[in-house]
Structure formats: structure tokens, C-alpha cells
Amino acid sequence: MNWLRQHFFALADAFSHLLRSPSNFILNVLVVSIALALPFAGLTILQNVRPISEQLAVEPEISIFLKMELSRDKALALTTNIRTILQDSASTTRIEFTPREKAFDSLKSKTGLTDVLATLGANPLPDSYVLKMSGFEHAMDADQVDDIAQKLKSMPGVDTVQIDSAWVKRLAALLRILRLVLLFLGFTLGAVVVAVVFNTIRLQVMTQHQEIEVSRLLGATNAFIHRPFYYTGALLGLCAGALALSLVVLAQQPLNTAIADFARLYASEFRLAPPSLLATAFLLGVSALLGLFGAMLSVKRHLARLA
């Protein structure tokens, strides 16, 4: 009970000092919240985009174009080799063989250039295989397709292998870059938060210089003197974090309107969801810890000079 009473007294003392100069406290909260709003917004966007990329149904297709001089019997015999290569893959693959005559007829019917293609004389298209792969649960699994494509390309009689999963790899690479950028912003703006709280507590220590000296003469311990400043820093970080999250949620309303118009072009109903309760609690906790850390640095540095 004595420990709780001391912390309650320190918290009440911190509130009393904040109420003496609310304008300074509000100004510091605004500065810190602006620094926190950018990484908070980035994390919110990342949390909304990541489930889409990870749960995206990735079904790449691999097109295998055979050499023109390869006979039809040898071309059909490649099916066994293809199945052997695919048996180590966890995906389910449907193999379709397309004779060059069928490919040429399809080209004429789809393009409407029958007369132009007739002037070519011989059929310029080779026999080909199309591998339709399924069973990939995450966008990151698209890297496996490259390994399969390299093995297929090394088969005798294969001229060219094309895959259509490049967009999946670009998406995964973009998300990795976004994570690194957010990490850099988090550390940089976290340092800004610590610096602001550090300076705020420094000014408060200087203002309460005489009060601190009297407390020491009366036998107050260092922990008793430091505790209110720690609570002040934590309150500053907590209030700034709450304001930053509020700004992010308010900014989502007009942003979702623009996103909805764009998503409808792709028959999607994607919208940015606000941070979950767990994410909100985590971000508020990080904000309070940054404020506490800045206060601890400032108190240990400046009160040591007053000792």
C-alpha cells in the first residue's frame, strides 16, 4: 500500500504541474503527435495491405515453347519429364499441350488477320505446353516458380520458358521496401519524440529547482524526486500517441473515399480499416515508453548536476 501511495502521489504531482502550464503541455503534445502520426499511418496501411498479399491466391502459369525442329512424338514425350520435375512441388499442376496447328488457328480466329497470316506460308508457331499451377497460398511462394522454370528450361527440345508471376514478386518486394522505410521512420521519429520529451523535462527540472532542493533537505530520496518527472514524460507520450492515432483515423475517411473509387475499377471493395484494439494498445504503449525513456534520460542528466 505504501508503494501504491507513493506512485499515486507522484502521478497526482505530475498532473498538478501539467495543469499549471497546460498551453506548454498541449504544444508539446502537438509536436510529438505530428512526429508519431507518419509511422502510425504507415503501419496502418501496411497492416491493411499485408493480409491481401499473404492470402492472395497465386496461380501462376508457365508457358513452355519447344524448338521448331522437334518432332511431335518427342514433344509429347516431354510430358513425362515435366511431371518428374513437378513432383517435388507442393502445388497441383494441370498440363496442357498445344499443337502448333491449334495455336496457329487460334491466332487467326482471335486476331482476325487470316489473310495476313496466310501470306506467311509456313506456320511460324511451335508446339507448346501450358502449366497451370495452383496450391500457392502466399505471394511469397512465387519464388518457387522460378526454380521450376529453370529446370524446365534445361530440358532437351525446350526453346523458351515464360512465367506470369512477375507481378507477385514485385508486390512482395514492394512490401519489403515499405517495411524497411517504416522501420527507418520509426527509429528516426522515435528519436525526435525522445528529444522533445527530453527538452520538456529539462525545462521542468529547471523550473522546479528550488522545490527539488527543499525536498532533498527534508530527506526525499532520488526515486521520490524522479518519479513525478517519469510520469510527466509517460503522460506526454501517451497523450501524443492518442492524438496521432486520432489524426490517422480521421485521415482515413477522405482517403477511403478515394480508395473506394479506385477499387471499383477492379471490382473490389477494399477499404482501409482502423487499427485494431490490440494494435492501438501496442502503439499507445510504445508512445508512453518513448516519453518515459526521454524523461529518464533528462532526469538522470540534469538532476545529477543539481546534486
Side-chain angles (χ1 to χ4, degrees), residues 8-274:
F8 179 78
F9 175 80
L11 183 60
D13 188 48
F15 271 112
S16 66
H17 283 95
L18 293 179
L19 293 176
R20 292 177 191 174
S21 55
S23 58
N24 291 334
F25 178 73
I26 293 174
L27 182 61
N28 288 322
V29 167
L30 287 174
V31 172
V32 175
S33 63
I34 292 173
L36 291 173
L38 188 57
F40 282 8
L43 285 172
T44 302
I45 294 174
L46 183 62
Q47 289 299 314
N48 279 272
V49 174
R50 189 181 65 179
I52 296 177
S53 66
E54 290 184 349
Q55 297 173 7
L56 197 60
V58 183
E59 297 183 354
E61 291 186 359
I62 300 180
S63 299
I64 306 173
F65 299 98
L66 307 181
K67 293 180 180 179
M68 295 291 296
E69 63 272 15
L70 192 69
S71 65
R72 180 60 52 81
D73 293 337
K74 291 182 178 180
L76 292 173
L78 288 177
T79 304
T80 304
N81 296 339
I82 294 174
R83 294 189 184 280
T84 303
I85 293 174
L86 294 174
Q87 67 183 1
D88 295 331
S89 173
S91 65
T92 303
T93 306
R94 187 167 73 254
I95 303 175
E96 296 181 1
F97 176 74
T98 305
R100 52 194 305 236
E101 296 83 9
K102 181 180 178 181
F104 191 63
D105 292 339
S106 177
L107 179 63
K108 289 191 292 185
S109 62
K110 290 181 179 179
T111 60
L113 300 175
T114 305
D115 296 336
V116 176
L117 293 174
T119 61
L120 296 176
N123 182 357
L125 300 180
D127 292 332
S128 62
Y129 282 93
V130 176
L131 311 184
K132 297 183 178 181
M133 311 180 72
S134 60
F136 291 96
E137 298 180 354
H138 304 288
M140 307 300 179
D141 294 338
D143 291 337
Q144 300 178 12
V145 182
D146 288 336
D147 298 334
I148 296 174
Q150 289 298 324
K151 294 178 181 178
L152 293 172
K153 194 172 183 179
S154 64
M155 291 192 309
V158 173
D159 185 26
T160 307
V161 175
Q162 294 181 350
I163 57 177
D164 67 349
S165 62
W167 65 275
V168 179
K169 292 184 286 184
R170 292 191 189 102
L171 177 61
L174 182 62
L175 289 177
R176 285 195 292 268
I177 293 173
L178 181 58
R179 291 190 189 97
L180 291 175
V181 170
L182 286 178
L183 185 63
F184 175 76
L185 282 177
F187 278 112
T188 303
L189 297 178
V192 172
V193 173
V194 172
V196 172
V197 175
F198 182 92
N199 188 60
T200 301
I201 300 301
R202 180 183 68 85
L203 295 176
Q204 188 172 337
V205 169
M206 294 175 61
T207 303
Q208 298 178 233
H209 170 67
Q210 294 182 348
E211 183 180 338
I212 293 171
E213 290 297 331
V214 172
S215 298
R216 280 178 172 164
L217 291 174
L218 294 176
T221 62
N222 285 335
F224 181 85
I225 296 172
H226 295 179
R227 205 172 288 126
F229 296 107
Y230 293 165
Y231 275 110
T232 300
L235 286 172
L236 176 57
L238 182 63
C239 293
L243 180 58
L245 282 173
S246 301
L247 293 174
V248 170
V249 173
L250 288 175
Q252 282 184 350
Q253 304 306 319
L255 188 58
N256 271 330
T257 302
I259 291 175
D261 294 336
F262 179 76
R264 289 192 193 99
L265 299 176
Y266 295 90
S268 174
E269 297 296 330
F270 176 74
R271 292 175 61 87
L272 291 176

